[in-house]
Amino acid sequence: MCGIAGQLSLTKHIKQNFLINNSLSHRGPHNKKFLRLKRNLIFYHTRLKIIDLSDKSNQPMLSDNLRYTIVYNGELYNFKEIKKELENKGYIFKTNGDTEVFLKGFIEYGAN
């Protein structure tokens, strides 16, 4: 199972990615990554590859326009059907996993 975390500080610059090295490393042996969005905001992800085994599905994942970021731990059971719907609307996918479908689905449909 993957590990996800976020770190936010309202008063200071956040230092290194200690969460990945200490708290999350056992949750995802295949990839460890963090993304600093601002000086005081970081998303962390450790990945256990299950559906899409390529590195293209590593997270945190950014949308094509860089507006949205996803750190996701779950399974979108009907992602193949949703992916087809989104492809019919003109979306192009770089991965075969459910995370990119979740991200582009959120962009298209919002929280619904």
Side-chain angles (χ1 to χ4, degrees):
M1 179 174 285
C2 300
I4 61 171
Q7 191 175 4
L8 172 67
S9 173
L10 300 178
T11 60
K12 63 181 179 177
H13 178 81
I14 300 172
K15 295 187 179 176
Q16 293 298 324
N17 58 339
F18 72 94
L19 281 172
I20 286 181
N21 293 331
N22 297 324
S23 301
L24 297 178
S25 61
H26 69 285
R27 298 291 304 265
H30 299 124
N31 187 60
K32 298 172 185 172
K33 185 176 170 186
F34 74 97
L35 178 64
R36 181 182 300 276
L37 295 175
K38 296 182 179 182
R39 290 184 51 208
N40 63 338
L41 177 62
I42 300 176
F43 287 142
Y44 301 90
H45 188 269
T46 57
R47 182 170 175 220
L48 175 64
K49 294 179 180 181
I50 296 175
I51 294 175
D52 183 350
L53 303 180
S54 77
D55 288 342
K56 291 180 181 179
S57 283
N58 289 345
Q59 298 177 43
M61 185 180 287
L62 295 165
S63 63
D64 294 332
N65 64 5
L66 306 179
R67 181 175 178 194
Y68 299 95
T69 304
I70 187 170
V71 180
Y72 175 67
N73 182 21
E75 188 172 349
L76 187 59
Y77 293 111
N78 61 338
F79 79 95
K80 291 180 182 178
E81 293 84 7
I82 296 170
K83 183 176 182 178
K84 282 194 178 284
E85 289 175 19
L86 292 169
E87 286 174 329
N88 289 338
K89 291 179 179 258
Y91 286 87
I92 298 170
F93 289 84
K94 300 174 188 166
T95 71
N96 293 313
D98 58 349
T99 302
E100 186 181 19
V101 174
F102 191 104
L103 176 60
K104 291 183 177 183
F106 180 83
I107 293 167
E108 178 65 24
Y109 303 115
N112 296 326

